[in-house]
């Protein structure tokens, strides 16, 4: 039996998947002077993040905001448009451009670090051997260590008749030929709310269906109340507390969505976005004694090792939190541990970003969590309409909320809805990580006019409540 230090292996490390987790794992190992290969079943690097997920959806959003004139409507009127007749080709042009640039950046980074890039479907043959099948044939490669970073794909239940055009998942959005007039979105999670709000901003009549009583159940309730209001302002019809019985296409190409309550929704198309499954089904994991749960997810220890210590897993394939940012960190840490590099990580609270219209971002605890824990807290709130920068941006409904301990004044959580929320959150993240308190936010001088001023206004609001 070969040992993991044997020079008879083709590589020190083979990474399966070239998304954020795989890319960082490969580059980190290469920086340690290891011989590394990275494999992707697509003939392009970047994984789901660059090709079908994060980058396309965020590029799509920016195209929507620009072409629809959405950000200027409060200033120039609801009828303002940069382009009156927006097509899918207009929207995907920006996406394709950004995706290609990102792919080139990743390719250059891998080449610069002498990482071999292989394309094809990878499958384990034994604990140290994989088979790579591509249109040019099948080859076998061996390695001392592996990192599985194949990501996840949309869940497709059997009662939904997917066809990629009128009934589709998030991977198919950019393949639409025309912009629909009416769309049904099944699933009120992150992806569903992001795309639902984007299409609504374009003037598409959107109906959102979710089994839960409110969208994004893990987000602070006050923010979601605001989000529901703004979604309805966009014309979105919310069907909450409803489950889908079936989706099918009629002879006239209209889609019929039947709810378990008996309601029927007719629309041009349906975006089905109700969860994801890890893309592990065809990796041959049974041949190396690694099992998955019913959604294909891999279990790992604190070092990202699977039940086979030389096989690591990172990113969406291991489940929560399934963020591009955390996946990148996981991949790098897995490679460090694999080659005996000790990393001392500072415990920094994770920020969460939802790139809907409007954006939502938060870090730390929300009010429900603090209440359940019996922690005495108070809130400080700043509204964008009170901030000069908010007026300049035309965002009348944005809000930043700071949660802090009533006795120690330590910042316990920050919750933001509105323009640039996903950027603004990092100030709160830094203050929390460094155990800062309300006094810092009150006394800090922020550039004027900026949205960062919200922190100062929220801190002053919090102090006023303490005085009362």
């Amino acid at each position: 039996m070969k040992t993991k230090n044997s020079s008879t292996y083709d590589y020190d490390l083979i990474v399966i998947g070239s998304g954020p987790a795989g890319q960082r794992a490969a580059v980190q190992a290469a920086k340690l002077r290891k011989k590394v290969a990275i494999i992707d079943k697509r003939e392009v690097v970047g994984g789901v993040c660059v090709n079908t997920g994060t980058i396309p959806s965020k590029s799509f959003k920016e195209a929507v905001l620009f072409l629809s004139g959405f950000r200027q409507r409060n200033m120039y009127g609801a009828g303002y448009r940069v382009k009156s007749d927006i097509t899918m080709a207009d929207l995907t042009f920006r996406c394709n451009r950004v995706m290609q640039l990102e792919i080139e950046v990743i390719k250059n980074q891998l080449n610069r670090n002498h990482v071999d890039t292989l394309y094809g479907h990878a499958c384990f043959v034994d604990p140290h051997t994989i088979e790579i099948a591509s249109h040019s044939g099948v080859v076998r490669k061996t390695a001392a260590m592996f990192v599985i970073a194949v990501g996840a794909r949309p869940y497709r239940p059997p009662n939904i008749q997917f066809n990629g055009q009128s009934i589709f998942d998030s991977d198919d959005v950019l393949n639409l030929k025309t912009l629909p007039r009416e769309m049904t979105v099944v699933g009120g999670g992150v992806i569903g709310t992001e795309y639902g709000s984007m299409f609504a901003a374009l003037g598409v009549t959107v109906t959102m269906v979710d089994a839960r009583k409110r969208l994004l159940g893990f987000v602070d309730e006050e923010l979601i109340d605001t989000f529901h209001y703004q979604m309805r302002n966009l014309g979105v019809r919310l069907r909450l507390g409803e489950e889908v019985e079936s989706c099918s296409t009629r002879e006239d190409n209209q889609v019929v969505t039947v709810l378990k309550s008996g309601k029927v929704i007719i629309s041009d198309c349906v975006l089905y976005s109700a969860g994801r499954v890890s893309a592990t089904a065809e990796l041959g994991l049974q041949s190396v004694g690694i099992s998955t749960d019913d959604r294909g997810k891999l279990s790992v220890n604190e070092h990202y090792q699977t039940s086979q210590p030389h096989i690591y897993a990172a990113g969406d394939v291991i489940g929560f939190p399934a963020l591009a940012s955390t996946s990148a960190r996981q991949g790098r840490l897995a490679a460090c541990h694999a080659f005996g590099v000790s990393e001392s990580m500072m415990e920094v609270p994770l920020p969460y970003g939802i790139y809907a219209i409007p954006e939502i971002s938060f870090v730390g605890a929300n009010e429900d969590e603090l209440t359940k824990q019996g922690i005495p807290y108070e809130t400080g709130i700043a509204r964008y309409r009170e901030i000069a920068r908010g007026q300049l941006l035309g965002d009348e409904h944005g809000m930043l909320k700071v949660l802090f301990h009533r006795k120690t004044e330590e910042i316990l959580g920050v919750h933001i809805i509105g323009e640039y929320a996903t950027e603004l959150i990092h100030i709160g993240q830094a203050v929390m990580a460094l155990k800062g308190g309300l006094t810092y936010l009150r006394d800090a001088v922020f550039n004027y006019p900026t949205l960062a001023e919200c922190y100062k206004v929220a801190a002053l609001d919090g102090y006023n409540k303490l005085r009362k």
Side-chain angles (χ1 to χ4, degrees):
M1 182 71 179
K2 299 174 184 177
T3 66
K4 67 180 182 180
N5 295 316
S6 173
S7 60
T8 57
Y9 292 125
D10 297 320
Y11 294 96
D12 296 307
L13 175 68
I14 289 179
V15 179
I16 307 173
S18 64
Q23 178 195 349
R24 297 305 195 283
V27 171
Q28 178 61 64
K31 296 289 187 187
L32 298 173
R33 301 295 189 268
K34 303 301 178 181
K35 189 177 181 183
V36 183
I38 193 166
I39 305 169
D40 203 297
K41 66 179 180 180
R42 299 178 180 87
E43 292 195 3
V44 65
V45 294
V48 169
C49 176
V50 171
N51 294 284
T52 60
T54 303
I55 297 302
S57 65
K58 280 52 178 179
S59 303
F60 191 86
K61 177 192 171 187
E62 291 303 317
V64 168
L65 290 173
F66 174 70
L67 293 172
S68 69
F70 181 84
R71 285 181 170 135
Q72 285 74 41
R73 290 179 189 173
N74 283 337
M75 194 64 65
Y76 298 109
Y80 177 80
R81 297 287 189 279
V82 172
K83 190 175 189 296
S84 57
D85 185 21
I86 301 171
T87 66
M88 280 301 296
D90 295 326
L91 297 165
T92 57
F93 174 83
R94 185 180 191 130
C95 300
N96 293 332
R97 175 66 174 159
V98 174
M99 287 160 60
Q100 190 57 47
L101 290 172
E102 282 295 302
I103 289 167
E104 290 301 319
V105 168
I106 295 169
K107 284 172 62 177
N108 181 54
Q109 185 185 40
L110 294 173
N111 291 336
R112 194 170 66 245
N113 287 281
H114 307 290
V115 175
D116 290 346
T117 305
L118 309 173
Y119 298 113
H121 174 73
C123 181
F124 280 95
V125 176
D126 64 47
H128 287 279
T129 308
I130 58 167
E131 204 168 65
I132 307 167
S134 67
H135 61 80
S136 58
V138 178
V139 296
R140 288 192 175 190
K141 298 292 181 181
T142 60
M145 299 284 188
F146 293 88
V147 172
I148 299 172
V150 292
R153 57 178 174 78
Y155 172 62
R156 288 191 165 197
N159 62 319
I160 307 299
Q161 300 175 21
F162 291 92
N163 57 30
Q165 277 299 315
S166 59
I167 304 176
F168 53 90
D169 58 37
S170 58
D171 283 358
D172 297 320
V173 170
L174 299 187
N175 296 326
L176 292 178
K177 303 301 181 186
T178 58
L179 200 62
R181 290 175 177 270
E182 296 184 335
M183 170 184 278
T184 302
V185 178
V186 179
V190 174
I191 296 173
T193 53
E194 286 182 349
Y195 273 123
S197 64
M198 292 176 205
F199 279 100
L202 290 167
V204 176
T205 301
V206 175
T207 301
M208 294 198 69
V209 182
D210 194 273
R212 294 161 293 192
K213 288 294 185 182
R214 67 186 182 102
L215 302 174
L216 302 168
F218 57 93
V219 178
D220 182 86
E221 186 173 358
E222 187 172 6
L223 263 65
I224 292 303
D225 288 343
T226 301
F227 187 66
H228 283 179
Y229 171 79
Q230 295 202 51
M231 289 286 275
R232 290 188 172 103
N233 267 359
L234 284 173
V236 176
R237 295 183 294 211
L238 300 177
R239 296 289 180 263
L240 303 178
E242 298 272 14
E243 293 185 54
V244 172
E245 180 72 36
S246 64
C247 286
S248 57
T249 305
R250 294 192 315 202
E251 291 181 359
D252 61 357
N253 292 323
Q254 292 290 97
V255 181
V256 180
T257 303
V258 180
L259 307 184
K260 289 185 178 180
S261 64
K263 298 184 182 72
V264 176
I265 304 168
I266 310 295
S267 57
D268 296 327
C269 61
V270 170
L271 167 58
Y272 198 95
S273 177
R276 296 177 70 81
V277 293
S278 298
T280 55
E282 299 177 352
L283 288 178
L285 295 177
Q286 65 280 0
S287 66
V288 293
I290 296 176
S291 59
T292 64
D293 67 9
D294 58 352
R295 287 260 176 146
K297 187 175 69 174
L298 290 170
S299 295
V300 294
N301 64 14
E302 69 274 19
H303 303 300
Y304 304 103
Q305 292 170 293
T306 65
S307 56
Q308 291 284 353
H310 72 287
I311 300 177
Y312 292 72
D316 288 14
V317 75
I318 66 173
F320 184 84
L323 304 169
S325 52
T326 54
S327 296
R329 185 174 75 163
Q330 290 168 1
R332 192 179 72 81
L333 291 176
C336 285
H337 185 268
F339 297 108
V341 176
S342 178
E343 277 277 335
S344 177
M345 294 296 296
M346 178 181 178
E347 284 299 319
V348 178
L350 292 177
Y352 294 82
I354 300 160
Y355 293 80
I357 301 174
E359 283 186 4
I360 296 173
S361 196
F362 65 93
V363 62
N366 60 39
E367 291 198 56
D368 285 344
E369 290 167 343
L370 294 176
T371 299
K372 289 176 183 176
Q373 294 170 32
I375 296 174
Y377 74 92
E378 189 52 87
T379 66
I381 294 176
R383 303 189 185 278
Y384 280 24
R385 63 174 176 265
E386 302 166 350
I387 307 297
R389 183 63 175 163
Q391 294 292 347
L392 290 170
L393 292 171
D395 187 341
E396 297 179 350
H397 304 293
M399 177 181 74
L400 181 149
K401 176 164 68 173
V402 174
L403 307 181
F404 62 95
H405 198 287
R406 285 190 62 91
K407 296 178 181 177
T408 67
E409 297 181 6
E410 179 184 350
I411 305 300
L412 304 173
V414 178
H415 304 265
I416 311 172
I417 183 169
E419 286 288 302
Y420 304 113
T422 54
E423 299 282 352
L424 196 58
I425 196 67
H426 296 114
I427 296 175
Q429 179 194 28
V431 173
M432 288 179 64
L434 298 172
K435 302 301 180 184
L438 204 64
T439 302
Y440 170 79
L441 296 179
R442 181 196 65 189
D443 296 344
V445 176
F446 297 99
N447 282 334
Y448 176 87
T450 61
L451 290 177
E453 288 181 273
C454 287
Y455 281 100
K456 192 179 191 76
V457 172
L460 291 169
D461 179 59
Y463 272 115
N464 287 335
K465 290 174 181 175
L466 289 181
R467 290 193 188 98
K468 292 179 182 178

